[in-house]
Structures are given as C-alpha cells and as structure tokens.
Amino acid sequence: MHPFTHHSPNERSILEPAARIFALRGYAGTSMDEIARAAGVNKATIYYRIGNKARVYERVLVGYFCHIAEVLEQRLHAVPIPRDRARILVETLAAIFAEHGDMPPLLLHELASGGEHLSPDVLAGIARVLQTSLTTLSALPMVQQGGVSPLLAHLMIIGSLFFTSLSGSVAMRLAANIPQGTEKDVSLELMKDLLLELFVDRDVPSRKED
Amino acid sequence: MHPFTHHSPNERSILEPAARIFALRGYAGTSMDEIARAAGVNKATIYYRIGNKARVYERVLVGYFCHIAEVLEQRLHAVPIPRDRARILVETLAAIFAEHGDMPPLLLHELASGGEHLSPDVLAGIARVLQTSLTTLSALPMVQQGGVSPLLAHLMIIGSLFFTSLSGSVAMRLAANIPQGTEKDVSLELMKDLLLELFVDRDVPSRKED
Amino acid sequence: MHPFTHHSPNERSILEPAARIFALRGYAGTSMDEIARAAGVNKATIYYRIGNKARVYERVLVGYFCHIAEVLEQRLHAVPIPRDRARILVETLAAIFAEHGDMPPLLLHELASGGEHLSPDVLAGIARVLQTSLTTLSALPMVQQGGVSPLLAHLMIIGSLFFTSLSGSVAMRLAANIPQGTEKDVSLELMKDLLLELFVDRDVPSRKED
Amino acid sequence: MHPFTHHSPNERSILEPAARIFALRGYAGTSMDEIARAAGVNKATIYYRIGNKARVYERVLVGYFCHIAEVLEQRLHAVPIPRDRARILVETLAAIFAEHGDMPPLLLHELASGGEHLSPDVLAGIARVLQTSLTTLSALPMVQQGGVSPLLAHLMIIGSLFFTSLSGSVAMRLAANIPQGTEKDVSLELMKDLLLELFVDRDVPSRKED
DNA sequence: CATGAATGAGATTTCATTCAT
DNA sequence: CATGAATGAAATCTCATTCAT
C-alpha cells in the first residue's frame, strides 16, 4: 500500500517525487522547478493539476498522515489485548518509517517549523494518528498502573523512531570524527525492539528503591 | 551562560536573532533581510561582520553545540558514579533545551536535511557532545548488564527531549481538533523524569517472562 | 547579413542591444538591467532565454566572430590570385567594421582584458578568422619574398582598422584641445586604402639602401 | 623613469598597483577593495589620499600620458632630421610599451569605452602626445611627398604596437586551437622594425604600376 | 594621518506564479 | 489537457563611499 493511493495517477506522479524533495530540503528549500524536473512534467502542469506550492505540500502531508492512520487502524482493528495492540502500534510505525524513509525528515521539518504550514486537513490527519496512538497506549499496564503519561509515551516512541531513522545520514558524516568504533547498525529494527521492551513487554516498573 | 559567549558582542548581536529565525524557518526559509531586521543592523553589516548566510548559520550551529558540550563537560567533570553522571546528562540536556527553546527546532531542521550544511567545525561539536553522552551512558548498569545499546539510549533521550520541546507549538494547533482534554502540561520536566526513571533509576530490567 | 542570423528572433532581440551596450561599457560595466531595458524585455526573460550574463556575452562574441569568419570565407571562396585575396580581406574587414561599429570596441575590451572571458566557442571563432587572415596574407609577395611576417601584417591590419574605427569618439573629445585643424575625415575608408597600398598594391619593398 | 614620478610616494604606492588592476579589468571591473588589497593599505586610505575611484583612475591615466609625452619630448628634443625623429618616435613608443605592459590594455579599455572617463587633464595629456607624434610624422618624406595622412600613420603605429603588445595573452589561449605552428615570437621589437621599415627607412613609395 | 566599521544603492540570480496557445 | 514563455518580487551578495575615532 502506498501513501498516495487515494489520489489520481496524475497527482501521484507529482506528489511522490515532491515528497522526496520536500523531505530532503524542507518546504522553503524546495523549488517548483525541482519538483517538475523530478516528476518529469512541465512546471505549469503542477499548477494545472494541483494548484500551488502550498497545496502540493499539503497533499503530501495529508497523504502521509492518512496513510499512517489507515494502516494503523486497519492493523489494530479487532485486536483487543492491550499489549498486543501496543506491540502492533510500535511495529507498524517502525515498519512504515522503514519503508518510507522520507516521512521522518518531512514531518520533522514541519514540526521544527512549528507547524506553520499545517492546514486543517493535515491537522485532522495528525489528530487521527495521535488519537489512535494515545488510546492504544492508554490501555497499557505501564500507563494504567505505572503512572506513565500516554502522551509522554507517544512522544518517546515517535521521537525515538524518528531520530533513529534520521541518524543514518548524519552518522556517516560523523564516522570520521568519532574515534572508537561505535555500533553502526543502529536501525529502526533495534530501536523498535528496545521500545517494545521498555513499554510493552516489561511489567509495571518497580523503582530502584521501594 | 549563553551559547555565543565566545563571540564578540558584535557577532552575538547578529547570531542571537539569527538563531531564533533559523530555528523557526530553517536555513532555506530564512532571509538575510529578516536577520538584519531582527538584529537591528543593515543587511550589508552582516556580510561585513560574518561573511555570508552559510557562515552565519554555521556559527549558530557551532555556538549551540559547543555550548552544550561545554556545559555537559563542566557539570560531569569529577562526577564518578555512573547513575549520577547519567542523571546529570539527562537533566542538563533537558535544562538547556528548556532554556534555549530554539535549539531543538534548529537542530531538527538540520538533522532532517541530512546534515547538508554541516561544516567540519559543526561536526566536531556534534561529535564532542555525542562522545560525552555515549561514554556516560555506557557506564550505566542498564547498558553494562542490560544489553541496551548506548547509541540507542542516546537517540531515545535526545529524540524524546526534542519532541517534547517541540510538541508545544503543534499541540496548540491540535487543541481544537483533539476532542478529549489530553494533558496540556507536557513539559520537558515530565519527560526528563520519565527518562530518568526508565534509564537511570531503574534496576537492570527484568523481562516479563524469565 | 547580420551577426546574429543563426539565432532565433527571440535571442536576437536580446543579443543585438546587448552587443551595443557591451561594446560601450565592457563586460563588467554592463548591467543586466540595462540590457533588459534596451531589449524591451523583463530582466528575468533574459535569464529564461539565455541563462546568465556570461552566456549573453559569449553569444555576442561568438556571433560576431562567426559573422566575420563567414563573410570572409564566402568572399574569398574561389578567389585564387593572392593580391586579390588580400585586397578582399582588407576591404571586407573594413566594411564589416564600418557597418558594425560595435565590433571594434567590444573586441578591444575583451582583448584588453587578456581574453579572460573567452570560451572555447569564442576562441574557435577567433582561430577561424585568424587562420583565414594568415593564409591569405602568407601568399602575398611582400610576405613571400619581402620577409614580412604574416602575423605582424595581420596585427597591423587589424590594429589599424580598430584604432581608426575607434578614433572617432575620442577625436571629438580632443577636437577642442587640438589647436590646428587636423583632418577630421579619418575614416576606415582612408585607412583601408593606406593598408592596401602598403601591403597589397606595392611591390616587394626595396629598402632605402641596397 | 617611472610614470608616477611626479606624485608623492604615498600616492605612488596606490597608483601603481591600481594601474595594474585597471589595465587588467578595466574601470568598471576594478573594485576599490582590490586596489586597497594590492596597495597594502586600508580602503579608506585611498579616499583619504586620492579621493575617489574616478580620481584614482584619472591620476593613473594622466600619469601614463604625461610620462609618454615627457619621454617623447625629451628624446626628440634637439633632433632635427625628420627620419631620425620618426625613428625615435617609434622606438620610444615601443620601448615604453615594452617596459610598461599595463599601458596598452589600460588605454585600450578607455579607448573602447569611447573615452567616457576622460577628464580634461587626461585629454590634455593625450593631445600633447598626439601633437608630438603628428608633427614628427608630418615631416616624413612619406607624408610630405607620399600623400600619407599623418593621422593615419599615427593610428597605424599606435594600433600596431598596442595590438602586438596585447597579442601575447590571447595568443597563448589560441595556441591549442591553431593547427600550424605560427611564429610565437611576435614581439614589440619585430613590430617596431616593421614599422620603421614601412614608414621611416623606406623611400617615398612607388606604386606597383606607374 | 589612517582606518575599522558601517551602509544605501545596486548587482546578479532565483522563484512562484500566470497566461496565451 | 498541458505547456513554453514570461515576469514581478524577492533572494544573496557587492561596492563605492562615509564617518567616528
């Protein structure tokens, strides 16, 4: 399944390369020329088909968030056991970010901008994902009895996965600078396992003292 | 202590507003006009004092990373006990991000861009912080005996703190969209406590089964 | 025939006024604004059609040198007698400079700059003209038996014609300063006749003594 | 003797490097920064000592033309025989251009610009040189009986020497493009000899027929 | 006497957008 | 339905010049 499944092929052929470039350079750093070149269409065609730089960006974001929401909702549908649901949540997010490496940087750019370009549609998509995540996490023992805020847990999960996904490119640049050979195989897979261990598989935490 | 302590007052008066704007809009989204206006100087003065846009950006990044590295190193200096050191690490990072709210978005923009604009000086600053963090985390029981990768722990800590710091602005935009009243007081303070609980205060994790 | 015959009308409408201004003010002294104004198009249109200032300049130079080369080659084609060929060479150059008064100053600016801006295409054009001139002059009796270097002859012919063409504007400024009434009708026509007399019509020179 | 002998050492230390740069890049292509750097003084010092970009340029031109005029007048002083005088004229000009390679390009830039920047002082210098040259050439047999215009002869001499002096830099760029090995040792020396032969040593020309 | 600092004006170039076809 | 052509606005950067010290 792809993020832009709901759009016409005409739009998809523009939105997919656009997403790649927006992810790499952010909204301001992306030019319509570059999108047109990557999409293999005339620049005016983008205006004809979609309308606007802001609209292209919005469609990409909406597509991404709706995709995440849909996949999450589909996989969580009819799964009753809290720990199973949480496991699916984390695994699904990790899998989506692994498959669509553009999502983390794109969303991070937006987040870092304070959500300047977020249209109501995009906010709705974000809310949908957030809602699913929060309700799923709220049912966890760790939250129910452990006193962990579900929003904090959500932020940790998303933040950890995003950073892991992004660490690759910068890590390589750092490689020459870091003396000792730290592990290079930092991957979403490993982070996913750590998150599962910390939030899902583990029993309600027992503090060091007490 | 301030991030641009090592620079001349002349440079500081430019770098500080520049950092604010870069954080908000990213490198590409920031114009020299805006920086000049915010700094209260003529645009050409920026070129005279610093050189060009890329150099302004670089100085800001170097200033930020060196500040983090210095504060960390100073506070960790002569603290021998691993758990104390880790606690200081997390608390210091949380405090710095709380005081300098511009850092997380600025660094996130850069990270999301794949570190395209990272000069050797900036990379050196990053490496310095990373090194401190990794060696500190490596001494934790959870890492030593719990099998948790220090790099994963580092990414979780940074990622969680960054996301928490950023969540404020977007959360407000979401407020209207999210029906139920989720906690609004998500703060670095709370996230810091959760991180301490998960990584520092807790004993070596005991899996659910076995 | 015109220098920019090979270009599209769109390009010609830019290159022709550009040539005029480059000739008057040189490369550095010419602004894109001025070219745009003279061409009656928006400044961005020049970038759309041609690319950048250096390319505009290059096209002008290439157009000029190719024009000279083509006219020379066409008029010399199938003329076997050396003296006839040389006469045609001088007359053609004089005629071209007379018709296109912009050429000498433009080329002089470039020459004075040491050919800094000369692209391979322009150099090829220059070489083509030079080749034609040198082979033509080499066949002259004065060169064959008189021991005059064909390159020196070429330089004298070009230099004399260029200076004559340029003398007009400065001469007028000098007019007030020069007391006696020197001839005002210094023209390419007269210089051409003198060159023909010195290099073409005359027999192999007999030195004063011997 | 040097072109800027009449100026104070303070001015000379600026005018000499300025002349070099003006010669290379022309008036518009030369920046005050570059002059200051080459002169090893602060940019404001140029304004303090001389006053103005236009004034710097003017002083350089005046210096050059006065130098030529002075040397010519000094060497021609009390030389009565026309042929001797003409020989001295040509030899002196060739020697000056050979010694001060910057003169031809600088004067050519100015000439190509139509004398836009020529102040009255500079025009007076030019007139002085021109006067000397014309009166000297007017006495030649070739002019007196040969019907050659002294102004044409002047233009040929100056034009030929200038072009010869400039040909070096462009010739090297052409070297790769010109197939056959044309002589490389085109020098002012050779051109001077040719000019002497054509205008001075030779008897009044006898046309080919008649 | 000299200069570091500053700047208004203007240079080249890019870019989102429009429009006639 | 699509696009080549065009452009106003704004971006980065340069430069001749001034001025306080």
Side-chain angles (χ1 to χ4, degrees):
Chain A
M1 196 154 73
H2 265 65
F4 305 114
T5 322
H6 298 320
H7 298 78
S8 74
N10 267 354
E11 286 197 12
R12 271 187 59 174
S13 74
I14 289 172
L15 295 181
E16 271 168 17
R20 232 177 27 242
I21 302 174
F22 278 132
L24 198 59
R25 309 220 200 292
Y27 180 77
T30 297
S31 77
M32 296 295 271
D33 272 291
E34 212 175 351
I35 296 176
R37 213 178 308 125
V41 301
N42 189 280
K43 194 169 36 165
T45 304
I46 303 178
Y47 287 87
Y48 179 72
R49 289 193 188 155
I50 299 184
N52 208 321
K53 186 180 176 183
R55 279 177 74 88
V56 175
Y57 189 65
E58 193 221 351
R59 297 281 172 106
V60 168
L61 285 177
V62 170
Y64 272 7
F65 281 113
C66 287
H67 177 68
I68 299 178
E70 278 168 23
V71 174
L72 275 183
E73 286 160 13
Q74 176 205 313
R75 294 212 194 164
L76 287 172
H77 176 68
V79 176
I81 304 173
R83 283 203 218 249
D84 288 353
R85 290 179 60 84
R87 184 189 314 275
I88 288 173
L89 175 73
V90 173
E91 284 175 345
T92 301
L93 289 174
I96 290 177
F97 295 160
E99 190 184 349
H100 303 290
D102 295 335
M103 273 187 201
L106 181 58
L107 303 185
L108 269 188
H109 269 301
E110 190 49 39
L111 200 59
S113 299
E116 200 185 5
H117 308 287
L118 295 184
S119 72
D121 280 0
V122 179
L123 285 171
I126 297 177
R128 203 169 140 203
V129 173
L130 187 57
Q131 175 104 12
T132 302
S133 176
L134 290 179
T135 55
T136 298
L137 294 173
S138 294
L140 273 182
M142 201 181 198
V143 172
Q144 289 284 351
Q145 302 134 39
V148 173
S149 151
L151 188 46
L152 285 184
H154 172 80
L155 289 173
M156 268 193 86
I157 291 168
I158 298 285
S160 302
L161 292 176
F162 270 25
F163 260 65
T164 309
S165 169
L166 286 174
S167 62
S169 54
V170 176
M172 281 198 287
R173 298 191 186 235
L174 281 171
N177 290 52
I178 298 189
Q180 89 232 35
T182 48
E183 316 84 311
K184 292 157 197 279
D185 50 356
V186 180
S187 70
L188 283 167
E189 195 67 17
L190 293 175
M191 181 55 90
K192 179 204 68 183
D193 289 341
L194 179 53
L195 288 169
L196 289 178
E197 190 184 313
L198 287 177
F199 286 103
V200 182
D201 297 333
R202 183 178 298 182
D203 281 326
V204 172
S206 55
R207 307 284 175 97
K208 200 175 77 178
E209 48 247 299
D210 176 349
Chain B
M1 196 155 69
H2 265 63
F4 305 113
T5 319
H6 298 319
H7 298 79
S8 75
N10 266 353
E11 285 198 12
R12 271 187 58 173
S13 74
I14 289 172
L15 295 182
E16 272 168 16
R20 232 177 26 244
I21 303 175
F22 278 133
L24 199 59
R25 309 221 200 295
Y27 181 78
T30 298
S31 79
M32 297 296 270
D33 271 292
E34 210 174 353
I35 296 176
R37 214 175 310 127
V41 300
N42 187 282
K43 200 172 29 167
T45 303
I46 304 179
Y47 287 90
Y48 176 71
R49 289 202 190 146
I50 300 187
N52 56 30
K53 188 179 172 182
R55 276 178 74 90
V56 175
Y57 190 64
E58 194 221 351
R59 297 278 174 106
V60 168
L61 285 178
V62 170
Y64 272 7
F65 281 113
C66 287
H67 177 68
I68 299 177
E70 277 167 25
V71 175
L72 275 183
E73 286 160 13
Q74 176 206 314
R75 295 214 193 161
L76 287 173
H77 177 69
V79 177
I81 304 173
R83 282 200 218 250
D84 289 351
R85 291 177 59 84
R87 184 188 316 275
I88 290 173
L89 175 74
V90 172
E91 284 175 343
T92 303
L93 290 175
I96 291 177
F97 296 160
E99 189 184 351
H100 303 290
D102 294 337
M103 274 187 201
L106 182 58
L107 273 32
L108 269 189
H109 269 302
E110 190 50 37
L111 201 60
S113 299
E116 203 185 4
H117 308 288
L118 296 183
S119 72
D121 279 0
V122 179
L123 284 172
I126 297 177
R128 203 169 140 201
V129 174
L130 187 56
Q131 176 106 9
T132 302
S133 175
L134 290 180
T135 54
T136 299
L137 294 173
S138 294
L140 274 181
M142 201 182 198
V143 171
Q144 290 281 353
Q145 302 137 38
V148 172
S149 150
L151 188 45
L152 284 184
H154 171 82
L155 289 173
M156 268 193 85
I157 292 168
I158 298 285
S160 302
L161 292 175
F162 271 24
F163 260 66
T164 306
S165 169
L166 287 174
S167 61
S169 53
V170 177
M172 282 198 287
R173 301 197 183 229
L174 280 172
N177 291 53
I178 296 191
Q180 90 234 34
T182 46
E183 312 87 312
K184 292 160 198 274
D185 53 353
V186 179
S187 71
L188 283 166
E189 195 67 18
L190 294 176
M191 180 56 91
K192 178 204 70 183
D193 290 340
L194 177 54
L195 288 168
L196 289 177
E197 187 184 315
L198 286 177
F199 286 104
V200 180
D201 297 333
R202 184 176 299 182
D203 281 325
V204 171
S206 56
R207 307 287 173 93
K208 201 175 76 176
E209 50 246 300
D210 178 349
Chain C
M1 197 152 70
H2 265 64
F4 305 114
T5 319
H6 299 319
H7 297 78
S8 75
N10 268 353
E11 285 199 10
R12 270 186 60 173
S13 75
I14 289 171
L15 296 182
E16 271 167 16
R20 231 175 28 242
I21 303 174
F22 278 132
L24 200 57
R25 309 222 199 291
Y27 181 78
T30 298
S31 80
M32 295 298 270
D33 271 293
E34 209 174 354
I35 296 177
R37 212 176 312 125
V41 300
N42 187 282
K43 200 171 29 167
T45 303
I46 303 178
Y47 287 88
Y48 176 72
R49 291 201 188 146
I50 300 187
N52 57 29
K53 188 178 172 182
R55 276 177 73 89
V56 175
Y57 190 64
E58 195 221 348
R59 297 280 174 105
V60 168
L61 285 178
V62 170
Y64 273 6
F65 280 114
C66 286
H67 177 69
I68 299 177
E70 277 166 25
V71 174
L72 275 183
E73 286 160 13
Q74 176 206 315
R75 294 212 194 163
L76 286 173
H77 176 70
V79 176
I81 303 172
R83 283 200 216 250
D84 288 352
R85 291 178 59 85
R87 182 188 316 273
I88 289 173
L89 174 75
V90 173
E91 284 176 344
T92 302
L93 289 175
I96 291 178
F97 296 161
E99 189 183 350
H100 304 289
D102 294 337
M103 274 188 201
L106 181 59
L107 271 34
L108 268 188
H109 269 301
E110 190 49 39
L111 200 60
S113 296
E116 202 185 4
H117 308 288
L118 296 183
S119 72
D121 279 2
V122 179
L123 284 172
I126 297 177
R128 201 169 141 203
V129 173
L130 187 57
Q131 176 105 10
T132 302
S133 176
L134 291 180
T135 54
T136 299
L137 295 172
S138 295
L140 274 181
M142 202 180 196
V143 172
Q144 289 282 353
Q145 300 136 41
V148 173
S149 150
L151 187 47
L152 284 184
H154 171 82
L155 289 173
M156 270 193 81
I157 290 168
I158 298 285
S160 302
L161 291 176
F162 270 25
F163 259 66
T164 307
S165 169
L166 287 173
S167 61
S169 53
V170 177
M172 281 197 288
R173 301 196 183 230
L174 281 172
N177 292 53
I178 297 191
Q180 90 231 35
T182 46
E183 312 87 312
K184 292 159 196 274
D185 51 352
V186 178
S187 71
L188 283 167
E189 194 67 17
L190 295 175
M191 180 57 89
K192 179 203 70 182
D193 289 340
L194 177 54
L195 287 168
L196 288 176
E197 188 183 315
L198 286 176
F199 286 104
V200 182
D201 297 333
R202 183 178 300 181
D203 281 326
V204 172
S206 56
R207 307 286 175 94
K208 203 175 76 175
E209 53 246 297
D210 176 350
Chain D
M1 196 154 71
H2 265 64
F4 306 115
T5 322
H6 298 321
H7 298 79
S8 75
N10 266 354
E11 286 197 12
R12 268 187 61 173
S13 74
I14 289 172
L15 295 181
E16 270 167 17
R20 230 177 28 243
I21 303 174
F22 278 132
L24 199 59
R25 309 220 200 293
Y27 180 78
T30 297
S31 78
M32 296 295 272
D33 272 291
E34 210 175 354
I35 295 176
R37 212 177 310 128
V41 302
N42 188 281
K43 194 168 41 164
T45 305
I46 302 177
Y47 287 88
Y48 180 72
R49 290 192 188 156
I50 299 184
N52 206 321
K53 185 179 176 184
R55 278 177 73 89
V56 176
Y57 189 66
E58 194 220 349
R59 297 281 172 105
V60 168
L61 285 178
V62 170
Y64 273 6
F65 281 113
C66 287
H67 176 70
I68 298 177
E70 279 167 24
V71 175
L72 275 183
E73 287 160 10
Q74 177 206 314
R75 294 212 195 163
L76 287 172
H77 177 69
V79 176
I81 305 174
R83 284 201 218 249
D84 287 351
R85 291 178 59 85
R87 184 188 317 272
I88 288 173
L89 174 75
V90 173
E91 283 175 345
T92 302
L93 289 175
I96 291 177
F97 297 160
E99 190 183 350
H100 304 290
D102 294 336
M103 274 188 200
L106 181 59
L107 304 185
L108 268 189
H109 270 301
E110 190 48 39
L111 200 60
S113 298
E116 200 185 7
H117 309 286
L118 296 183
S119 71
D121 280 1
V122 179
L123 285 171
I126 297 177
R128 202 168 140 203
V129 173
L130 187 57
Q131 176 106 12
T132 304
S133 177
L134 291 180
T135 54
T136 301
L137 293 173
S138 294
L140 273 182
M142 200 182 198
V143 172
Q144 290 282 352
Q145 302 135 39
V148 173
S149 149
L151 187 47
L152 283 185
H154 171 80
L155 289 173
M156 267 193 88
I157 290 168
I158 297 286
S160 301
L161 290 176
F162 270 24
F163 260 65
T164 307
S165 170
L166 288 173
S167 64
S169 53
V170 176
M172 281 199 288
R173 298 192 187 235
L174 280 172
N177 291 51
I178 298 191
Q180 89 231 33
T182 46
E183 312 87 308
K184 293 157 198 277
D185 51 352
V186 181
S187 70
L188 283 167
E189 194 68 19
L190 293 176
M191 181 56 90
K192 179 205 68 184
D193 289 340
L194 178 54
L195 286 168
L196 290 177
E197 189 184 316
L198 286 176
F199 286 104
V200 181
D201 298 333
R202 184 177 300 182
D203 281 326
V204 173
S206 57
R207 307 287 174 92
K208 202 174 75 176
E209 50 244 297
D210 179 346

